[in-house]
Amino acid sequence: FVARFDSAGNPLWLRSMWSDGYNLPTCITVDDNQNSYVVYKFYGTYLTDGIDTTFYSGNSISSVLVKYDRNGIVDWRRETTGPIQSSWAYDVCIDSKNNVCVVGGYIGSYIVLNQDTVYANTSSTWEMYVEKYDSLGNVLQSRGFWTDNVCMGNCIALDSADNMFIT
């Protein structure tokens, strides 16, 4: 679930996503307009918020970025697709222009991040991806990174010039 509370601790809204498998929100951030951005990883044949439902093959763990407006209404969702065995989004942050940056990892020959394809070095180890969206959900940047061993993006931070730092 995702919840918003006021500064006194009073609940303002609570939202859930569910599937026929499981889903796990891994990180949340908020922009200057009080929109919330949540990254989920889930397993199942569908993911729904009760209004919009997206169907999947159900044979891998997938990642989703969801934008909620200040009232907790889903504004948009972006999913990872492709012939991947698994994809996990781990962290999300907002830059000075209210663009959304996501970091995670995947196993597979390539991953499709909202119509941008990032090709893997190998399909048998974890490889890192980073993506940047504008506040409307349009892809501004998609990149993949790999090493000879496991390469997973776990955390992302930005400096005052919007340079990305990733672990």
Side-chain angles (χ1 to χ4, degrees), residues 14 102 118 127:
L14 173 80
V102 177
V118 175
E127 302 195 7

Side-chain angles (χ1 to χ4, degrees), residues 117-156:
T117 302
V118 175
Y119 290 93
N121 184 43
T122 175
S123 62
S124 60
T125 62
W126 281 97
E127 302 195 7
M128 183 179 78
Y129 71 87
V130 61
E131 55 189 337
K132 183 188 268 190
Y133 296 93
D134 66 17
S135 61
L136 300 175
N138 300 307
V139 173
L140 300 176
Q141 184 181 81
S142 295
R143 301 284 187 269
F145 304 91
W146 57 84
T147 64
D148 292 336
N149 295 309
V150 173
C151 181
M152 178 78 79
N154 290 304
C155 189
I156 187 169

